C-alpha cells in the first residue's frame, strides 16, 4: 500500500514528512478548530473550521394570518 499524500504549497507530499498540529480556540460565541501541516518548520497547509454557537434571533411579530 502506498503512503497517503497531502496537497500543500510545495506540491503533493507524503504525510510522514510533515508535522501535524491542531489548535482549538473556544470562545463564548464560537469554536474555532485550526489544523496546520509544517515541513521543516514552514507552514505548507493550514485550514480552519468555525462553529458559531449563537443563533440568529427570530422575529416574534411576523404578522397575522386571517381576519
Amino acid at each position: 500500500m502506498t503512503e497517503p499524500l497531502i496537497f500543500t504549497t510545495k506540491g503533493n507530499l507524503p504525510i510522514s514528512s510533515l508535522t501535524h498540529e491542531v489548535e482549538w480556540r473556544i470562545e463564548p460565541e464560537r469554536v474555532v478548530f485550526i489544523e496546520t501541516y509544517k515541513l521543516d518548520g514552514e507552514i505548507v497547509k493550514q485550514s480552519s473550521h468555525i462553529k458559531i454557537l449563537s443563533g440568529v434571533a427570530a422575529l416574534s411579530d411576523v404578522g397575522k394570518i386571517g381576519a
Side-chain angles (χ1 to χ4, degrees):
M1 182 176 226
T2 61
E3 182 175 4
L5 300 175
I6 292 186
F7 182 75
T8 71
T9 57
K10 303 287 185 184
N12 289 330
L13 297 174
I15 196 166
S16 65
S17 67
L18 303 173
T19 303
H20 181 237
E21 298 175 1
V22 296
E23 178 183 353
W24 290 90
R25 295 182 187 167
I26 300 173
E27 302 169 7
E29 59 278 340
R30 66 183 159 263
V31 177
V32 181
F33 171 73
I34 302 169
E35 185 174 35
T36 305
Y37 289 92
K38 294 182 180 180
L39 177 65
D40 299 326
E42 179 184 352
I43 295 174
V44 292
K45 182 174 184 170
Q46 187 172 55
S47 60
S48 60
H49 308 274
I50 301 171
K51 168 74 173 170
I52 303 296
L53 299 176
S54 60
V56 177
L59 298 175
S60 60
D61 260 351
V62 294
K64 290 185 176 181
I65 297 177

